[in-house]
Every structure is written in structure tokens, then in C-alpha cells.
Amino acid sequence: MSNIIKVGMADWKTCQGEDGVITVGLGSCVGIAIRDPRTGIGGLAHIMLPDSTEIHNNSNRPKFADTGITDMVEALTRMGASRFRMVAKIAGGAQMFAGVGKNDAIRVGERNVLASKKKLMELRIPILAEDTGSTYGRTVIFYPKNGDFHIRSIGLPEKII
Amino acid sequence: MNDLSMEQITSQYFDVLKELGNIGAGNATTALAQLMGSKIDMSVPQVRLLEFQEVGEIVGGEERIMVGIYLQVEGDVEGSMMFIIDKRAAAHMVNKLMAGMLVIDENKAEEYNFGEMECSAVKEVGNIITGAYLNALSGITGLKIFPSVPQIGIDMAGALLSVPAVEFGIYGDNILLIQTNFSDDVELDGYFIMIPDMESYEKILSSLGVM
């Protein structure tokens, strides 16, 4: 019997075997799914902000793309996954409201995607697929065993990348 | 940027928000009743400080389809605010507002595709409600506050709420939410979120003599 483990906002979770990880209602946040195909060990991170070094109050590490991805990759390694085999898929980073005013927070989706890609590149984890940007929310489910990354949005057919 | 965190500011701001919630809700009720041409009851608003993970649960699940009205504020106070209601409640308000010119089947509201007319009606409601709160804030603090043109989003609650959550995320790990239940013949749950930037928090609190 497989379990689906829930990942909240500013959080990450790992799993293996038949299990999957889900995060519900990604808006401007980004979901980063990473797995080691040989061991089937993987995880899903739900980050809210691009860069922990830009912010004074940054002790909540899973909140940021840089620290969140780093920590999850370390946890996967401790579980027995190999850094050198890891591959990633990413989704989210939407702009939920069209540009109002000058607020930087409006473009945060785009910046979250860029920061996630940058961190993955630094860790030399290739991105196999992505479904990012646009203006709608996404619910994502990741199965590390086969690497399927399911994406559900309102009024759109479910996608698997 | 200064060193005050959300947690330090919150306890004082909580009381301010409660007071603001009461006055704002009162103003909004009167305005909405006039606009919709019916009697509206509004409960005493509840102010909640939530962890990011809890936000979706409070509004009835992250995947619940909701309508969000989002706008920026400028002037003495800068930041943004959001009013969010369930899509069915939005459909009910549109029906009331259009007074029979347009009728959405409220039982099928989740699937109903809001067009320009419906969005415009919901924006108007959002304008009135956010305006009521802003007037309350401006009234008790004496600060000048100007709202931008509102933007509307119809999507999963989690996705809409990620926008204010991210803005709160810059300062801390919690989100402040004012929950208002109002009803005419049906119960309508609305949630109101205000996110002043850090300097504006201080301005609000010092203008009230609490800092």
C-alpha cells in the first residue's frame, strides 16, 4: 500500500518505494522534485522565496530555494541516494495577479524559478522537465520510483512530466 | 530595513487589527447592504496569526476554488492587501449585485467560468470591502492610504494565498488573517489579509501611540 506524503508551504519531504509526495496549491512558490533513479529515493521541496542571503530573518531554511534544495539533497544522500545520479523536475512559479504597482513580490514566481535552477545547476543536478510560469496555481504529486511528476490545475487536464 | 521581526511586532499589531476589523467590518456591512439592496449581518471578525502550513486549512482546504482580490496600497502606509472568498459566495454576490440581469447557478458555481462582467462585479465588492478596512485604518491612525486598482484571481486557495504568504515570508514565518463571516440569506465566509511593509507597521503603531 503506497502512501502520499504531504509537503506544506516552506517545507520538504522525502520518500521511497511506492510512496509519493504531494504539495497542494503552488502559486508563486516552486515545487522542486529530485530523485535518484537507481535507488528510487526522492523528495519534493516547496519553496517560497528565492534567496536566504537577501533576507535578514532567514532561519527557516526550507522557505528558500538555496537552503531548502541544499538541505533536501543532503537528506536524500543520507538516505542512500547518490548526488551524481540525482535528476530534478520543477513546477510552479506562477504570477497569480497581473502586475500591480512596483512591488517586487509580484515577480517572485519568476525569481523563485530562476533561483531554483541556479541552485540545481550549482549542485550539478540536471533538470529533466519543468512546468513553470503562467498565471494559474498547480497541485503536484511526485513518485520517485518512476519519476512521474503529476501536475493538476483548475480547468486544465492533468499533466505528467 | 530594520531589525524588527513579525513576531516582535505582532502582539501589539494584533490588538490594532482587532479594532480595525471591527470598524472595517461595520463600514463594509453598511456599504454592501446598500449595494446589494439587502440586509447583511456580519459577525465579529477573528484575527488569526497562522503558520504558513495552516493557512490552507483555515480557509477550507488549499484546493478549494476561491476568488481573490488583490491590491497595493500607497501613501503613508505601503504594502498590499487581499480579500478572499469562496467561489460560490462570489457567485451569490454577483447574482445579488446584478439584480437578475445575470444569474449564475450557485450550486454549479465551482465550474462556472467568470466572464468580464462577473469579474467586474466581484472586483467592485472587493473594492468596497477593502476600502472599508482602509478607511477604518486611515480613520484611527490619521494616515493617508491610497489603494491601487484591484486585480482578481480565481484559483486554488493555496495558490492565491501564496501571494500574501510570500510577502509575510520576507519578515517571518506567520501570516496575519482577519476572518469575517457575513450573511444575508446565505452564509458567506470572507478572509481579509493586510500586509503593510515593515516601516508602515511602525508608522501605524506609533500613530496610535503604542510604540
Side-chain angles (χ1 to χ4, degrees), chain A residues 87-151:
Chain A
V87 287
K89 290 178 180 177
I90 62 173
Q95 182 173 334
M96 299 306 299
F97 296 93
V100 233
K102 58 188 184 220
N103 201 325
D104 230 19
I106 293 299
R107 283 184 53 251
V108 76
E110 194 183 324
R111 293 196 294 130
N112 278 336
V113 172
L114 289 174
S116 303
K117 287 182 177 171
K118 181 170 164 247
K119 192 70 212 175
L120 289 167
M121 198 183 283
E122 261 175 52
L123 296 169
R124 298 181 197 283
I125 299 172
I127 299 170
L128 301 185
E130 66 172 290
D131 179 40
T132 57
S134 199
T135 56
Y136 51 82
R138 297 167 174 90
T139 287
V140 298
I141 312 168
F142 182 53
Y143 295 95
K145 192 182 181 191
N146 60 10
D148 281 356
F149 197 25
H150 297 247
I151 299 162

Short mmCIF file of all heavy atoms in Angstrom, two decimals, chain A residues 87-151:
data_model
loop_
_atom_site.label_atom_id
_atom_site.label_comp_id
_atom_site.label_asym_id
_atom_site.label_seq_id
_atom_site.Cartn_x
_atom_site.Cartn_y
_atom_site.Cartn_z
N VAL A 87 18.39 13.58 -10.43
CA VAL A 87 17.79 14.38 -11.50
C VAL A 87 16.59 15.13 -10.91
O VAL A 87 16.02 14.71 -9.91
CB VAL A 87 17.33 13.51 -12.70
CG1 VAL A 87 18.53 13.02 -13.50
CG2 VAL A 87 16.47 12.33 -12.24
N ALA A 88 16.22 16.24 -11.56
CA ALA A 88 15.16 17.08 -10.99
C ALA A 88 14.09 17.43 -12.01
O ALA A 88 14.32 17.42 -13.22
CB ALA A 88 15.79 18.37 -10.43
N LYS A 89 12.90 17.72 -11.48
CA LYS A 89 11.81 18.31 -12.28
C LYS A 89 11.23 19.44 -11.42
O LYS A 89 11.16 19.30 -10.20
CB LYS A 89 10.73 17.27 -12.58
CG LYS A 89 11.21 16.19 -13.56
CD LYS A 89 10.16 15.14 -13.82
CE LYS A 89 10.72 14.10 -14.81
NZ LYS A 89 9.77 13.00 -15.05
N ILE A 90 10.84 20.52 -12.07
CA ILE A 90 10.31 21.63 -11.27
C ILE A 90 8.97 22.13 -11.83
O ILE A 90 8.70 22.03 -13.03
CB ILE A 90 11.30 22.80 -11.13
CG1 ILE A 90 11.64 23.43 -12.48
CG2 ILE A 90 12.58 22.37 -10.43
CD1 ILE A 90 12.49 24.70 -12.37
N ALA A 91 8.14 22.67 -10.93
CA ALA A 91 6.84 23.23 -11.34
C ALA A 91 6.46 24.39 -10.42
O ALA A 91 6.92 24.46 -9.29
CB ALA A 91 5.76 22.14 -11.27
N GLY A 92 5.64 25.30 -10.94
CA GLY A 92 5.16 26.42 -10.14
C GLY A 92 5.72 27.74 -10.64
O GLY A 92 6.02 27.89 -11.82
N GLY A 93 5.87 28.69 -9.71
CA GLY A 93 6.42 29.99 -10.09
C GLY A 93 5.48 30.82 -10.93
O GLY A 93 5.89 31.56 -11.81
N ALA A 94 4.17 30.67 -10.67
CA ALA A 94 3.18 31.44 -11.44
C ALA A 94 3.11 32.87 -10.95
O ALA A 94 3.57 33.20 -9.86
CB ALA A 94 1.80 30.78 -11.29
N GLN A 95 2.55 33.71 -11.79
CA GLN A 95 2.24 35.07 -11.36
C GLN A 95 0.72 35.12 -11.19
O GLN A 95 -0.01 35.18 -12.17
CB GLN A 95 2.72 36.06 -12.42
CG GLN A 95 2.48 37.49 -12.01
CD GLN A 95 3.11 38.49 -12.95
OE1 GLN A 95 4.08 38.21 -13.63
NE2 GLN A 95 2.54 39.67 -13.00
N MET A 96 0.27 35.04 -9.95
CA MET A 96 -1.16 34.88 -9.69
C MET A 96 -1.97 36.14 -10.00
O MET A 96 -3.15 36.07 -10.30
CB MET A 96 -1.40 34.46 -8.24
CG MET A 96 -0.77 33.14 -7.84
SD MET A 96 -1.24 31.76 -8.92
CE MET A 96 -3.01 31.73 -8.69
N PHE A 97 -1.35 37.29 -9.87
CA PHE A 97 -2.05 38.55 -10.17
C PHE A 97 -1.18 39.35 -11.12
O PHE A 97 0.00 39.51 -10.87
CB PHE A 97 -2.31 39.34 -8.89
CG PHE A 97 -3.24 38.64 -7.95
CD1 PHE A 97 -2.74 37.81 -6.96
CD2 PHE A 97 -4.61 38.78 -8.07
CE1 PHE A 97 -3.58 37.13 -6.10
CE2 PHE A 97 -5.46 38.10 -7.22
CZ PHE A 97 -4.95 37.28 -6.23
N ALA A 98 -1.78 39.84 -12.18
CA ALA A 98 -1.02 40.62 -13.16
C ALA A 98 -0.50 41.88 -12.47
O ALA A 98 -1.11 42.38 -11.54
CB ALA A 98 -1.91 40.98 -14.32
N GLY A 99 0.65 42.33 -12.93
CA GLY A 99 1.39 43.42 -12.29
C GLY A 99 0.58 44.56 -11.69
O GLY A 99 -0.04 45.34 -12.40
N VAL A 100 0.59 44.67 -10.37
CA VAL A 100 0.03 45.84 -9.71
C VAL A 100 1.20 46.55 -9.04
O VAL A 100 1.94 45.92 -8.31
CB VAL A 100 -0.96 45.50 -8.56
CG1 VAL A 100 -2.28 46.20 -8.74
CG2 VAL A 100 -1.12 44.02 -8.37
N GLY A 101 1.32 47.82 -9.32
CA GLY A 101 2.33 48.62 -8.62
C GLY A 101 3.74 48.17 -8.87
O GLY A 101 4.04 47.46 -9.82
N LYS A 102 4.61 48.55 -7.95
CA LYS A 102 6.03 48.36 -8.17
C LYS A 102 6.60 47.22 -7.34
O LYS A 102 7.78 46.95 -7.35
CB LYS A 102 6.75 49.67 -7.82
CG LYS A 102 6.48 50.04 -6.38
CD LYS A 102 7.00 51.41 -6.04
CE LYS A 102 6.74 51.62 -4.55
NZ LYS A 102 6.33 52.77 -4.04
N ASN A 103 5.69 46.59 -6.57
CA ASN A 103 6.17 45.61 -5.60
C ASN A 103 6.93 44.44 -6.24
O ASN A 103 6.45 43.79 -7.14
CB ASN A 103 4.98 45.07 -4.81
CG ASN A 103 5.40 44.47 -3.51
OD1 ASN A 103 6.47 43.85 -3.43
ND2 ASN A 103 4.60 44.63 -2.49
N ASP A 104 8.11 44.20 -5.69
CA ASP A 104 8.96 43.13 -6.15
C ASP A 104 8.34 41.76 -5.94
O ASP A 104 8.61 40.82 -6.68
CB ASP A 104 10.27 43.18 -5.35
CG ASP A 104 11.46 43.14 -6.27
OD1 ASP A 104 11.27 43.43 -7.47
OD2 ASP A 104 12.55 42.80 -5.81
N ALA A 105 7.49 41.69 -4.92
CA ALA A 105 6.86 40.42 -4.58
C ALA A 105 6.03 39.89 -5.73
O ALA A 105 5.80 38.70 -5.86
CB ALA A 105 5.99 40.58 -3.34
N ILE A 106 5.56 40.77 -6.60
CA ILE A 106 4.77 40.38 -7.74
C ILE A 106 5.55 39.43 -8.66
O ILE A 106 5.00 38.46 -9.16
CB ILE A 106 4.32 41.63 -8.54
CG1 ILE A 106 3.37 42.45 -7.70
CG2 ILE A 106 3.68 41.26 -9.87
CD1 ILE A 106 2.10 41.74 -7.32
N ARG A 107 6.80 39.72 -8.86
CA ARG A 107 7.59 38.90 -9.78
C ARG A 107 8.29 37.74 -9.07
O ARG A 107 9.18 37.13 -9.63
CB ARG A 107 8.60 39.78 -10.51
CG ARG A 107 7.97 40.62 -11.62
CD ARG A 107 9.03 41.39 -12.37
NE ARG A 107 10.10 40.53 -12.85
CZ ARG A 107 11.34 40.51 -12.35
NH1 ARG A 107 11.67 41.30 -11.37
NH2 ARG A 107 12.24 39.71 -12.85
N VAL A 108 7.86 37.47 -7.87
CA VAL A 108 8.58 36.50 -7.07
C VAL A 108 8.55 35.10 -7.69
O VAL A 108 9.50 34.34 -7.55
CB VAL A 108 8.09 36.52 -5.60
CG1 VAL A 108 6.77 35.83 -5.45
CG2 VAL A 108 9.12 35.93 -4.67
N GLY A 109 7.47 34.78 -8.40
CA GLY A 109 7.37 33.47 -9.04
C GLY A 109 8.53 33.22 -10.00
O GLY A 109 9.22 32.20 -9.93
N GLU A 110 8.73 34.20 -10.85
CA GLU A 110 9.81 34.12 -11.84
C GLU A 110 11.18 34.01 -11.14
O GLU A 110 12.03 33.22 -11.53
CB GLU A 110 9.74 35.42 -12.64
CG GLU A 110 10.52 35.46 -13.90
CD GLU A 110 10.39 36.86 -14.53
OE1 GLU A 110 9.29 37.47 -14.44
OE2 GLU A 110 11.39 37.33 -15.09
N ARG A 111 11.36 34.80 -10.09
CA ARG A 111 12.64 34.78 -9.37
C ARG A 111 12.84 33.46 -8.63
O ARG A 111 13.96 32.96 -8.53
CB ARG A 111 12.72 35.96 -8.40
CG ARG A 111 12.78 37.31 -9.15
CD ARG A 111 13.23 38.44 -8.26
NE ARG A 111 12.25 38.69 -7.22
CZ ARG A 111 12.53 38.78 -5.92
NH1 ARG A 111 13.77 38.66 -5.50
NH2 ARG A 111 11.58 39.00 -5.05
N ASN A 112 11.73 32.88 -8.14
CA ASN A 112 11.83 31.57 -7.49
C ASN A 112 12.30 30.49 -8.47
O ASN A 112 13.10 29.63 -8.12
CB ASN A 112 10.48 31.16 -6.90
CG ASN A 112 10.21 31.80 -5.55
OD1 ASN A 112 11.14 32.17 -4.84
ND2 ASN A 112 8.94 31.94 -5.20
N VAL A 113 11.78 30.56 -9.70
CA VAL A 113 12.16 29.57 -10.71
C VAL A 113 13.64 29.73 -11.04
O VAL A 113 14.40 28.74 -11.05
CB VAL A 113 11.30 29.73 -11.99
CG1 VAL A 113 11.82 28.84 -13.11
CG2 VAL A 113 9.84 29.39 -11.69
N LEU A 114 14.07 30.96 -11.27
CA LEU A 114 15.48 31.20 -11.61
C LEU A 114 16.42 30.74 -10.49
O LEU A 114 17.43 30.09 -10.75
CB LEU A 114 15.71 32.69 -11.91
CG LEU A 114 15.09 33.21 -13.21
CD1 LEU A 114 15.26 34.72 -13.32
CD2 LEU A 114 15.74 32.52 -14.42
N ALA A 115 16.04 31.07 -9.26
CA ALA A 115 16.89 30.71 -8.12
C ALA A 115 16.97 29.19 -7.95
O ALA A 115 18.02 28.65 -7.63
CB ALA A 115 16.36 31.35 -6.84
N SER A 116 15.83 28.50 -8.20
CA SER A 116 15.83 27.04 -8.08
C SER A 116 16.74 26.42 -9.13
O SER A 116 17.51 25.50 -8.85
CB SER A 116 14.41 26.48 -8.25
OG SER A 116 13.54 27.05 -7.31
N LYS A 117 16.66 26.96 -10.36
CA LYS A 117 17.50 26.43 -11.44
C LYS A 117 18.98 26.67 -11.14
O LYS A 117 19.82 25.81 -11.37
CB LYS A 117 17.14 27.11 -12.76
CG LYS A 117 15.82 26.64 -13.33
CD LYS A 117 15.55 27.31 -14.65
CE LYS A 117 14.26 26.78 -15.26
NZ LYS A 117 13.86 27.56 -16.45
N LYS A 118 19.26 27.85 -10.60
CA LYS A 118 20.65 28.20 -10.29
C LYS A 118 21.21 27.24 -9.24
O LYS A 118 22.33 26.73 -9.38
CB LYS A 118 20.68 29.65 -9.77
CG LYS A 118 22.05 30.16 -9.43
CD LYS A 118 22.01 31.67 -9.17
CE LYS A 118 23.26 32.13 -8.45
NZ LYS A 118 22.99 32.60 -7.09
N LYS A 119 20.43 26.98 -8.20
CA LYS A 119 20.90 26.09 -7.13
C LYS A 119 21.11 24.68 -7.68
O LYS A 119 22.11 24.03 -7.38
CB LYS A 119 19.90 26.06 -5.98
CG LYS A 119 20.42 25.40 -4.74
CD LYS A 119 21.47 26.28 -4.10
CE LYS A 119 22.55 25.49 -3.40
NZ LYS A 119 23.62 26.38 -2.90
N LEU A 120 20.17 24.19 -8.51
CA LEU A 120 20.29 22.84 -9.07
C LEU A 120 21.53 22.75 -9.96
O LEU A 120 22.24 21.74 -9.96
CB LEU A 120 19.03 22.47 -9.85
CG LEU A 120 17.79 22.21 -8.97
CD1 LEU A 120 16.52 22.16 -9.82
CD2 LEU A 120 17.94 20.92 -8.16
N MET A 121 21.79 23.82 -10.70
CA MET A 121 22.97 23.84 -11.57
C MET A 121 24.24 23.78 -10.74
O MET A 121 25.16 23.03 -11.04
CB MET A 121 22.94 25.11 -12.43
CG MET A 121 23.84 25.03 -13.65
SD MET A 121 23.80 26.59 -14.56
CE MET A 121 22.23 26.44 -15.38
N GLU A 122 24.28 24.55 -9.65
CA GLU A 122 25.43 24.54 -8.74
C GLU A 122 25.69 23.15 -8.20
O GLU A 122 26.83 22.73 -8.04
CB GLU A 122 25.13 25.45 -7.54
CG GLU A 122 25.73 26.82 -7.61
CD GLU A 122 25.26 27.65 -6.41
OE1 GLU A 122 25.38 27.19 -5.26
OE2 GLU A 122 24.71 28.73 -6.68
N LEU A 123 24.60 22.44 -7.88
CA LEU A 123 24.73 21.09 -7.32
C LEU A 123 24.90 20.04 -8.44
O LEU A 123 24.95 18.85 -8.17
CB LEU A 123 23.50 20.75 -6.48
CG LEU A 123 23.26 21.61 -5.23
CD1 LEU A 123 21.88 21.35 -4.63
CD2 LEU A 123 24.33 21.33 -4.18
N ARG A 124 24.93 20.51 -9.67
CA ARG A 124 25.07 19.65 -10.86
C ARG A 124 23.97 18.59 -10.94
O ARG A 124 24.22 17.42 -11.23
CB ARG A 124 26.44 18.97 -10.90
CG ARG A 124 27.57 19.99 -10.99
CD ARG A 124 28.92 19.32 -11.05
NE ARG A 124 29.98 20.28 -10.75
CZ ARG A 124 30.42 21.20 -11.61
NH1 ARG A 124 29.93 21.27 -12.82
NH2 ARG A 124 31.37 22.04 -11.25
N ILE A 125 22.75 19.04 -10.64
CA ILE A 125 21.59 18.14 -10.77
C ILE A 125 20.82 18.59 -12.01
O ILE A 125 20.29 19.70 -12.04
CB ILE A 125 20.70 18.20 -9.52
CG1 ILE A 125 21.50 17.75 -8.29
CG2 ILE A 125 19.45 17.35 -9.70
CD1 ILE A 125 20.80 17.94 -6.97
N PRO A 126 20.78 17.76 -13.07
CA PRO A 126 20.11 18.19 -14.30
C PRO A 126 18.58 18.30 -14.14
O PRO A 126 17.98 17.50 -13.42
CB PRO A 126 20.47 17.12 -15.33
CG PRO A 126 20.97 15.96 -14.55
CD PRO A 126 21.42 16.44 -13.21
N ILE A 127 18.00 19.27 -14.81
CA ILE A 127 16.53 19.43 -14.80
C ILE A 127 15.98 18.74 -16.04
O ILE A 127 16.25 19.14 -17.16
CB ILE A 127 16.15 20.92 -14.78
CG1 ILE A 127 16.70 21.59 -13.53
CG2 ILE A 127 14.63 21.10 -14.85
CD1 ILE A 127 16.59 23.10 -13.52
N LEU A 128 15.20 17.69 -15.83
CA LEU A 128 14.68 16.90 -16.95
C LEU A 128 13.43 17.51 -17.55
O LEU A 128 13.16 17.33 -18.74
CB LEU A 128 14.37 15.47 -16.48
CG LEU A 128 15.54 14.67 -15.90
CD1 LEU A 128 15.09 13.25 -15.60
CD2 LEU A 128 16.74 14.65 -16.83
N ALA A 129 12.63 18.17 -16.73
CA ALA A 129 11.39 18.75 -17.24
C ALA A 129 10.93 19.86 -16.30
O ALA A 129 11.30 19.87 -15.12
CB ALA A 129 10.30 17.66 -17.31
N GLU A 130 10.13 20.79 -16.84
CA GLU A 130 9.57 21.83 -15.98
C GLU A 130 8.21 22.28 -16.50
O GLU A 130 7.91 22.16 -17.69
CB GLU A 130 10.52 23.02 -15.89
CG GLU A 130 10.71 23.78 -17.19
CD GLU A 130 11.51 25.08 -17.00
OE1 GLU A 130 10.96 26.01 -16.39
OE2 GLU A 130 12.66 25.14 -17.47
N ASP A 131 7.39 22.75 -15.59
CA ASP A 131 6.11 23.37 -15.95
C ASP A 131 6.01 24.59 -15.04
O ASP A 131 5.54 24.51 -13.92
CB ASP A 131 4.96 22.38 -15.70
CG ASP A 131 3.62 23.01 -16.05
OD1 ASP A 131 3.54 23.73 -17.06
OD2 ASP A 131 2.65 22.82 -15.29
N THR A 132 6.51 25.70 -15.53
CA THR A 132 6.64 26.88 -14.67
C THR A 132 6.01 28.11 -15.32
O THR A 132 5.68 28.10 -16.50
CB THR A 132 8.12 27.19 -14.38
OG1 THR A 132 8.80 27.36 -15.62
CG2 THR A 132 8.78 26.08 -13.59
N GLY A 133 5.87 29.17 -14.52
CA GLY A 133 5.36 30.44 -15.01
C GLY A 133 3.85 30.44 -15.18
O GLY A 133 3.14 29.73 -14.48
N SER A 134 3.37 31.23 -16.12
CA SER A 134 1.94 31.39 -16.39
C SER A 134 1.20 31.99 -15.18
O SER A 134 1.83 32.51 -14.26
CB SER A 134 1.33 30.07 -16.83
OG SER A 134 0.13 30.32 -17.48
N THR A 135 -0.12 31.90 -15.16
CA THR A 135 -0.89 32.65 -14.16
C THR A 135 -1.80 31.78 -13.32
O THR A 135 -2.71 32.28 -12.68
CB THR A 135 -1.77 33.70 -14.86
OG1 THR A 135 -2.59 33.01 -15.81
CG2 THR A 135 -0.96 34.75 -15.58
N TYR A 136 -1.59 30.47 -13.33
CA TYR A 136 -2.50 29.60 -12.57
C TYR A 136 -1.75 28.74 -11.55
O TYR A 136 -0.57 28.48 -11.68
CB TYR A 136 -3.30 28.71 -13.52
CG TYR A 136 -2.46 27.96 -14.52
CD1 TYR A 136 -1.84 26.77 -14.15
CD2 TYR A 136 -2.27 28.45 -15.81
CE1 TYR A 136 -1.06 26.07 -15.07
CE2 TYR A 136 -1.50 27.76 -16.73
CZ TYR A 136 -0.89 26.58 -16.35
OH TYR A 136 -0.12 25.90 -17.24
N GLY A 137 -2.51 28.34 -10.53
CA GLY A 137 -1.95 27.51 -9.47
C GLY A 137 -1.82 26.05 -9.90
O GLY A 137 -2.46 25.62 -10.84
N ARG A 138 -0.97 25.32 -9.19
CA ARG A 138 -0.72 23.92 -9.52
C ARG A 138 -0.66 23.08 -8.26
O ARG A 138 -0.06 23.49 -7.26
CB ARG A 138 0.64 23.78 -10.23
CG ARG A 138 0.75 24.49 -11.57
CD ARG A 138 2.21 24.54 -12.00
NE ARG A 138 2.40 25.07 -13.34
CZ ARG A 138 2.58 26.35 -13.63
NH1 ARG A 138 2.59 27.25 -12.67
NH2 ARG A 138 2.78 26.73 -14.88
N THR A 139 -1.24 21.89 -8.35
CA THR A 139 -1.04 20.87 -7.32
C THR A 139 -0.14 19.81 -7.94
O THR A 139 -0.40 19.38 -9.06
CB THR A 139 -2.39 20.26 -6.91
OG1 THR A 139 -3.08 21.24 -6.14
CG2 THR A 139 -2.23 19.00 -6.09
N VAL A 140 0.93 19.43 -7.25
CA VAL A 140 1.87 18.49 -7.86
C VAL A 140 2.08 17.25 -6.98
O VAL A 140 2.10 17.34 -5.76
CB VAL A 140 3.24 19.15 -8.15
CG1 VAL A 140 3.09 20.27 -9.15
CG2 VAL A 140 3.92 19.67 -6.89
N ILE A 141 2.19 16.09 -7.65
CA ILE A 141 2.47 14.83 -6.96
C ILE A 141 3.67 14.19 -7.64
O ILE A 141 3.71 14.10 -8.87
CB ILE A 141 1.27 13.86 -7.02
CG1 ILE A 141 -0.02 14.58 -6.62
CG2 ILE A 141 1.50 12.64 -6.12
CD1 ILE A 141 -1.28 13.78 -6.92
N PHE A 142 4.62 13.75 -6.84
CA PHE A 142 5.85 13.19 -7.39
C PHE A 142 6.05 11.76 -6.87
O PHE A 142 5.92 11.50 -5.68
CB PHE A 142 7.04 14.06 -6.97
CG PHE A 142 8.37 13.60 -7.51
CD1 PHE A 142 8.56 13.38 -8.86
CD2 PHE A 142 9.45 13.40 -6.65
CE1 PHE A 142 9.80 12.97 -9.36
CE2 PHE A 142 10.69 12.99 -7.14
CZ PHE A 142 10.86 12.77 -8.49
N TYR A 143 6.34 10.85 -7.82
CA TYR A 143 6.64 9.47 -7.45
C TYR A 143 8.11 9.19 -7.78
O TYR A 143 8.45 9.00 -8.95
CB TYR A 143 5.74 8.50 -8.21
CG TYR A 143 4.28 8.65 -7.85
CD1 TYR A 143 3.43 9.45 -8.61
CD2 TYR A 143 3.76 8.02 -6.71
CE1 TYR A 143 2.09 9.60 -8.26
CE2 TYR A 143 2.43 8.18 -6.36
CZ TYR A 143 1.60 8.96 -7.13
OH TYR A 143 0.29 9.13 -6.79
N PRO A 144 8.96 9.16 -6.77
CA PRO A 144 10.40 8.98 -7.03
C PRO A 144 10.74 7.66 -7.71
O PRO A 144 11.74 7.56 -8.41
CB PRO A 144 11.03 9.04 -5.64
CG PRO A 144 10.05 9.78 -4.80
CD PRO A 144 8.71 9.43 -5.35
N LYS A 145 9.90 6.64 -7.53
CA LYS A 145 10.23 5.33 -8.10
C LYS A 145 10.35 5.40 -9.63
O LYS A 145 11.32 4.92 -10.20
CB LYS A 145 9.18 4.30 -7.69
CG LYS A 145 9.65 2.88 -8.01
CD LYS A 145 8.60 1.86 -7.65
CE LYS A 145 9.15 0.47 -7.98
NZ LYS A 145 8.08 -0.54 -7.89
N ASN A 146 9.34 6.01 -10.28
CA ASN A 146 9.41 6.08 -11.74
C ASN A 146 9.66 7.51 -12.24
O ASN A 146 9.82 7.72 -13.45
CB ASN A 146 8.14 5.50 -12.38
CG ASN A 146 6.88 6.25 -11.95
OD1 ASN A 146 6.97 7.32 -11.33
ND2 ASN A 146 5.73 5.72 -12.26
N GLY A 147 9.67 8.46 -11.34
CA GLY A 147 9.96 9.85 -11.72
C GLY A 147 8.78 10.64 -12.26
O GLY A 147 8.94 11.78 -12.69
N ASP A 148 7.59 10.03 -12.23
CA ASP A 148 6.41 10.76 -12.73
C ASP A 148 6.09 11.95 -11.82
O ASP A 148 6.01 11.81 -10.60
CB ASP A 148 5.19 9.83 -12.79
CG ASP A 148 5.21 8.94 -14.02
OD1 ASP A 148 6.14 9.12 -14.84
OD2 ASP A 148 4.32 8.08 -14.15
N PHE A 149 5.87 13.08 -12.47
CA PHE A 149 5.56 14.31 -11.75
C PHE A 149 4.20 14.77 -12.30
O PHE A 149 4.11 15.24 -13.43
CB PHE A 149 6.67 15.33 -12.04
CG PHE A 149 6.73 16.50 -11.09
CD1 PHE A 149 6.25 16.42 -9.79
CD2 PHE A 149 7.33 17.70 -11.49
CE1 PHE A 149 6.35 17.49 -8.92
CE2 PHE A 149 7.43 18.78 -10.63
CZ PHE A 149 6.94 18.68 -9.34
N HIS A 150 3.14 14.56 -11.51
CA HIS A 150 1.78 14.88 -11.95
C HIS A 150 1.47 16.33 -11.60
O HIS A 150 1.74 16.76 -10.49
CB HIS A 150 0.76 13.99 -11.23
CG HIS A 150 0.93 12.54 -11.55
ND1 HIS A 150 0.00 11.83 -12.26
CD2 HIS A 150 1.93 11.67 -11.25
CE1 HIS A 150 0.41 10.57 -12.39
NE2 HIS A 150 1.58 10.45 -11.78
N ILE A 151 0.85 17.04 -12.54
CA ILE A 151 0.51 18.43 -12.30
C ILE A 151 -0.97 18.67 -12.59
O ILE A 151 -1.45 18.40 -13.69
CB ILE A 151 1.38 19.36 -13.17
CG1 ILE A 151 2.85 19.15 -12.81
CG2 ILE A 151 0.99 20.83 -12.97
CD1 ILE A 151 3.82 19.65 -13.83
#
